[in-house]
Amino acid sequence: MKTLIIVIHPTMETSVINKRWVEVLNQFPDKYTVHELYKTYPDGKFDVVKEQKLIESYDKIIFQFPLYWFSSPPLLKKWFDEVLLYGWAFGSRSGYKMKEKKIALAISAGLDEKDFSATSKYKYSLKELLRPFELTFEYVKADYCEPFVYYGLEQNPSAAYVEESIPLYLDYIEKL
């Protein structure tokens, strides 16, 4: 079954790595459906029913985004608030439409991996910072998987470093 990749990047045209990942994913339309939220909804007004039907059509869903202020770009939070509704995603009469779907995050991070720890400048591991996502998906009974994270883009945004990420990301998706 194909994998749905929901991309959340407000400035894709200036992106270094997310733009490249989308280019590569789009080369395999038989394997991946790429859904860019900022491109599809530039006004931030979602077609909630369309989004819910899209989610229902896939068993593997990845939310791909750059780490913004130690979280996701704001449109993803808005998407959660407006699409993961009571009666559809959760609630005693919802049927839990995301139940048992494999859900993962694919994150590009400017900082190095070593910067995310209790003893670092930023005090927390990335796993700790991502707990709200983990809890959200557990709440809707989805199967939350460990995220794919590609670190160090602030210090090494070279084309070669970006290209190194591609087979790693594709392998991650295949193993979900």
Side-chain angles (χ1 to χ4, degrees):
M1 171 160 248
K2 286 172 68 171
T3 301
L4 175 62
I5 316 284
I6 299 177
V7 180
I8 310 94
H9 197 305
T11 56
M12 186 62 85
E13 63 280 354
T14 61
S15 168
V16 175
I17 196 163
N18 281 272
K19 182 178 179 179
R20 183 69 183 117
W21 287 350
V22 166
E23 290 169 355
V24 170
L25 293 167
N26 280 329
Q27 293 173 13
F28 303 98
D30 55 319
K31 289 183 166 188
Y32 314 118
T33 298
V34 177
H35 179 48
E36 296 182 61
L37 289 185
Y38 278 95
K39 185 177 181 179
T40 306
Y41 302 106
D43 60 0
K45 295 179 182 172
F46 300 114
D47 180 336
V48 173
V49 172
K50 181 180 174 184
E51 292 298 301
Q52 290 173 339
K53 286 184 185 300
L54 189 63
I55 293 298
E56 290 175 18
S57 302
Y58 292 85
D59 291 326
K60 291 189 340 185
I61 302 160
I62 296 173
F63 292 88
Q64 175 188 311
F65 57 87
L67 195 65
Y68 266 44
W69 291 106
F70 306 98
S71 188
S72 67
L75 195 60
L76 182 54
K77 174 64 167 94
K78 187 176 190 306
W79 188 92
F80 287 160
D81 290 345
E82 295 182 17
V83 175
L84 304 184
L85 296 176
Y86 176 82
W88 181 81
F90 66 97
S92 60
R93 296 184 180 140
S94 71
Y96 289 90
K97 302 294 186 185
M98 294 182 75
K99 185 177 183 177
E100 297 177 2
K101 292 182 182 290
K102 289 198 173 294
I103 304 288
L105 306 176
I107 300 171
S108 57
L111 299 173
D112 291 325
E113 188 171 7
K114 66 178 174 48
D115 294 326
F116 294 99
S117 73
T119 58
S120 75
K121 176 180 178 180
Y122 301 108
K123 302 179 190 174
Y124 299 97
S125 70
L126 190 55
K127 183 176 176 82
E128 289 172 301
L129 293 171
L130 296 176
R131 280 200 176 129
F133 296 98
E134 181 179 356
L135 291 171
T136 296
F137 294 122
E138 285 180 4
Y139 192 76
V140 299
K141 300 186 180 185
D143 181 8
Y144 179 74
C145 304
E146 287 295 315
F148 174 82
V149 183
Y150 201 65
Y151 296 94
L153 289 154
E154 190 173 299
Q155 299 302 319
N156 188 5
S158 72
Y161 189 64
V162 169
E163 290 303 309
E164 287 175 22
S165 72
I166 292 168
L168 301 173
Y169 186 25
L170 293 176
D171 185 57
Y172 169 83
I173 295 170
E174 291 304 311
K175 289 180 178 173
L176 270 181

